[in-house]
Amino acid sequence: MNRLKNARETVLKASRAYYAHLGYYEERTRTQKATERELDFLEFAFRTHATRKVRDVLDVACGSGRHVLGLAHRGYKCTGQDYTHEQIQMAKTRAKREGVSMKLLQGDATKLKYESEFDAVLALLILFLLPDDDSVLTCLQQIHRALKPGGIVVCNVANPFYEGENWFSLKSIQLGHYFQEVRVPGMRYISIDRVQDFDPLKGVAWWQETHVIEVPDGVHIFQEHERLRLLTYWDMLRYLQATGFKEIKCYPDWKTKPPKKPKAEMLVFVSRKD
Ligand SMILES: C[S@@+](CC[C@H](N)C(=O)[O-])C[C@H]1O[C@@H](n2cnc3c(N)ncnc32)[C@H](O)[C@@H]1O
């Protein structure tokens, strides 16, 4: 149970090492089509939920920039930040290559200093990776402060009750392992994950992850840890309410017209600052 002590620095260091290694390859395994769908959803959310015109957008954990880059191409004024220096460098390289301009900074999602500056803030695939629940609340409070009145937050967490196997599902945690193989041209990516620790009281799991990446210049193997908080729909609803957000709406799996029985792999929340 050593790892569940939630030492903030341990989590941040593990997360940073993990994303520094993974960023480049992960970006190549993700399909552009999936990102385009998410961008369409974001624009839908801006139109439907914000009571002001959305122009200035902040992404608090932008990774290598897939959302801020996409939004910049669609005419938004974007600021992206991420705790991992290497991710920000990748985002900068991509922005330069694609000829779009935006602000890209290294920064912690729980140390946002903005006040009434943005029409929309994104916190995508980050809240369940933060070191503890106080950090989740702090992050949402600071996002609330960063928004102008009428602006919206779009945040998502992986659903622990997703019935399929994925590294974030309770099902995989109970199985104790998760295996994934992705092939894209010029690359084979294998991830072998093993549950190292799980606290069923607090809903926190630690994964030991081994990644094997075959690319033309050789095989890269690295191991990292990742802490996962199994945030549920209700946790998110309460946290958004507690931090002052209004009109909280959940869109499972980024679907604007919810299917009768969603897969609910991803819980996407949109809410407004009044
Ligand atoms: C799963 S990736 C998500 C990236 C992007 N938002 C997306 O949806 O593709 C998580 C990102 O959060 C970053 N991260 C982890 N802890 C952070 C923190 N405390 N503050 C800011 N970024 C953090 C990691 O470096 C990584 O780039």
Side-chain angles (χ1 to χ4, degrees):
M1 283 283 155
N2 211 13
R3 295 213 152 262
L4 291 179
K5 281 186 182 156
N6 286 344
R8 183 177 164 77
E9 289 314 312
T10 311
V11 178
L12 287 175
K13 207 168 138 218
S15 177
R16 182 173 168 198
Y18 177 82
Y19 284 103
H21 273 123
L22 198 63
Y24 175 66
Y25 303 105
E26 201 192 29
E27 203 50 55
R28 289 177 56 186
T29 57
R30 216 179 239 130
T31 66
Q32 184 58 26
K33 216 167 138 193
T35 300
E36 289 297 328
R37 263 202 310 271
E38 292 172 19
L39 292 169
D40 290 345
F41 176 90
L42 291 174
E43 290 204 282
F44 155 82
F46 298 165
R47 280 194 310 272
T48 313
H49 291 279
T51 52
R52 57 181 307 116
K53 188 170 166 45
V54 174
R55 185 180 135 72
D56 285 285
V57 182
L58 168 70
D59 186 344
V60 301
C62 66
S64 57
R66 62 193 185 104
H67 296 109
V68 272
L69 264 115
L71 289 175
H73 278 296
R74 295 180 185 207
Y76 296 89
K77 194 171 157 231
C78 297
T79 302
Q81 67 151 66
D82 197 279
Y83 188 77
T84 307
H85 169 76
E86 290 80 352
Q87 293 275 54
I88 287 297
Q89 288 313 312
M90 265 183 278
K92 283 185 176 169
T93 308
R94 291 181 66 191
K96 199 168 166 195
R97 193 176 57 225
E98 295 178 23
V100 281
S101 71
M102 70 194 68
K103 254 196 226 159
L104 288 163
L105 317 156
Q106 186 185 1
D108 192 322
T110 63
K111 293 188 180 146
L112 307 172
K113 300 273 184 267
Y114 307 100
E115 216 170 316
S116 292
E117 283 182 48
F118 296 96
D119 307 311
V121 178
L122 316 179
L124 302 175
L125 296 181
I126 174 64
L127 297 173
F128 63 139
L129 302 177
L130 290 175
D132 50 50
D133 281 35
D134 285 346
S135 302
V136 177
L137 275 167
T138 303
C139 179
L140 290 174
Q141 273 157 359
Q142 294 176 355
I143 289 175
H144 192 271
R145 194 183 57 201
L147 282 167
K148 294 177 190 165
I152 58 163
V153 62
V154 183
C155 54
N156 66 348
V157 294
N159 182 9
F161 302 121
Y162 170 57
E163 287 174 353
E165 282 174 33
N166 212 326
W167 69 278
F168 51 75
S169 68
L170 189 57
K171 184 173 172 179
S172 297
I173 290 166
Q174 283 165 342
L175 268 175
H177 51 80
Y178 174 66
F179 175 87
Q180 185 192 21
E181 179 178 355
V182 183
R183 285 169 188 263
V184 291
M187 187 173 89
R188 187 155 80 113
Y189 166 90
I190 298 167
S191 152
I192 307 149
D193 303 344
R194 179 175 72 76
V195 175
Q196 195 177 27
D197 205 351
F198 176 52
D199 182 340
L201 177 69
K202 295 183 178 160
V204 175
W206 271 93
W207 284 96
Q208 161 98 45
E209 320 200 343
T210 303
H211 303 271
V212 181
I213 292 154
E214 282 179 28
V215 276
D217 69 348
V219 179
H220 303 265
I221 301 175
F222 57 89
Q223 277 200 327
E224 294 301 346
H225 306 283
E226 190 150 58
R227 178 193 183 274
L228 166 72
R229 163 77 161 94
L230 283 81
L231 284 172
T232 66
Y233 169 87
W234 296 109
D235 293 325
M236 286 303 299
L237 195 72
R238 296 293 175 236
Y239 282 169
L240 285 162
Q241 282 169 345
T243 44
F245 284 101
K246 300 280 185 284
E247 206 192 71
I248 302 162
K249 184 113 182 22
C250 179
Y251 292 92
D253 301 323
W254 301 92
K255 296 256 180 0
T256 52
K257 290 194 189 100
K260 276 206 184 87
K261 199 168 180 293
K263 273 199 301 170
E265 194 169 358
M266 280 298 147
L267 304 178
V268 185
F269 290 86
V270 184
S271 28
R272 197 175 58 233
K273 170 176 176 170
D274 275 350

